[in-house]
Amino acid sequence: LSIWERNYNEDVGLKKIIIFGAGEGSREILDIIIKDLNKETPAWEVLGFVDTNKEKRVDSFCGYPMFCQDDFSNTSDTYGVCGIMDNTIRKKVCEEEILGNGLRLASLIHPSAIMPEDFSCGKGTIVYPGVKISYNVRLGQGVIVNYNSVLGHDSIVNDYSFVGPSVTMTGGCLLGSSCLIGAGAVFVPGIEVGDCSIVGAGTFVFSNVKALTSVVSLPQKVTRAIG
C-alpha cells in the first residue's frame, strides 16, 4: 500500500466520497487528486457534489449529481471532503456539513507528494501535486497545501490553514490556525505566524507575524509604460 493509504484512511477497498463545494478547488480535487490516486490504486468512488449556495444550484457538476443536505442518510460509511479555499467557509463545511451530518472527513494526499514515514496530519487535509515535506512535520485538520510547496523539518501547520502554491517554509516554522499563505511566500527558519493571519504572495518572512495580521512585501508598482 502507498503511504497515503497506510496513514490517512483506515479501510482498504473502494470508499464512497462526496465533494463539498462546486467551484475550482473542488474540481481540482476531482480531476487532479482523486483521479490520480485512483490511477495508482483504485480507492475512491465519487458519489457527487454538494453546494448549499442556492444561486449555484444545478442538477450536476463535472458529470456528477448535485446533492443537498436533505439527501444524506446512512452516511456512516461515506466520506466527505471540502476543497473550498476560504478558510472560514472550509472550517464551517468540514465541521457542520460533513462531520455534522455523520460523514467521515477524508484526507487526500496526491501520489506525487514526497514525505517521510513520520509525517502526520489531521482529517480533511489535502496535499496537492509536487509538494515536498521533510521529517517531523505535522498538519492539522482541514489544512490545504497547494502545488509544489516545500515544508521544512519540524514545521507545524495548524487547523484550516491554507498554504498556497510554491511556498517555501524552512525548518521549524509554525503556522497558527486559519492562516492564509500566498503563492511563492518564503519563510526563514523558525518563523511563527499567529492565528488567522495572512502572508501575501511572494512575501519574504524574516520575523514572526502576530495573530490577525496581514503582511506583504513591497507592493507591485509600475516603473514605466511600454508603447
Side-chain angles (χ1 to χ4, degrees):
L1 297 180
S2 60
I3 186 171
W4 67 271
E5 285 180 301
R6 291 197 302 271
N7 290 348
Y8 314 114
N9 297 303
E10 299 88 347
D11 305 325
V12 176
L14 212 59
K15 307 171 189 69
K16 299 176 182 178
I17 190 168
I18 298 172
I19 302 172
F20 283 70
E24 294 84 358
S26 295
R27 183 162 186 171
E28 286 185 329
I29 286 177
L30 171 66
D31 288 342
I32 297 171
I33 299 180
I34 291 179
K35 289 185 178 180
D36 282 358
L37 285 169
N38 282 344
K39 287 177 184 177
E40 183 176 270
T41 304
W44 297 103
E45 176 190 357
V46 179
L47 301 182
F49 289 81
V50 173
D51 198 316
T52 56
N53 187 339
K54 294 181 179 180
E55 295 180 358
K56 290 185 175 181
R57 185 66 53 80
V58 293
D59 293 331
S60 64
F61 183 72
C62 296
Y64 291 86
M66 290 287 294
F67 297 114
C68 62
Q69 291 190 35
D70 295 337
D71 297 324
F72 299 152
S73 61
N74 300 320
T75 56
S76 60
D77 64 342
T78 303
Y79 289 82
V81 66
C82 179
I84 297 172
M85 303 301 180
D86 184 291
N87 294 332
T88 300
I89 297 175
R90 187 169 68 261
K91 179 179 180 179
K92 181 177 180 180
V93 169
C94 287
E95 296 184 354
E96 297 181 11
E97 298 180 24
I98 297 178
L99 296 175
N101 279 294
L103 282 77
R104 305 168 73 176
L105 195 55
S107 292
L108 300 176
I109 313 296
H110 191 271
S112 70
I114 297 174
M115 61 195 68
E117 291 287 344
D118 67 356
F119 168 70
S120 66
C121 69
K123 298 297 184 182
T125 292
I126 301 170
V127 177
Y128 273 69
V131 171
K132 297 180 180 179
I133 297 176
S134 187
Y135 63 84
N136 195 33
V137 171
R138 293 187 287 120
L139 307 183
Q141 180 165 292
V143 168
I144 294 179
V145 183
N146 218 293
Y147 298 98
N148 302 317
S149 287
V150 177
L151 305 186
H153 63 84
D154 301 302
S155 292
I156 298 172
V157 180
N158 280 303
D159 296 352
Y160 300 108
S161 284
F162 175 85
V163 178
S166 300
V167 169
T168 300
M169 292 173 54
T170 51
C173 291
L174 170 65
L175 295 187
S177 61
S178 298
C179 292
L180 173 60
I181 311 302
V186 177
F187 293 69
V188 300
I191 287 295
E192 297 185 8
V193 178
D195 296 344
C196 303
S197 289
I198 298 173
V199 175
T203 297
F204 283 78
V205 186
F206 295 100
S207 58
N208 293 339
V209 179
K210 295 181 180 180
L212 296 168
T213 302
S214 177
V215 296
V216 295
S217 291
L218 293 174
Q220 176 180 321
K221 60 182 179 180
V222 176
T223 56
R224 65 184 180 89
I226 299 175

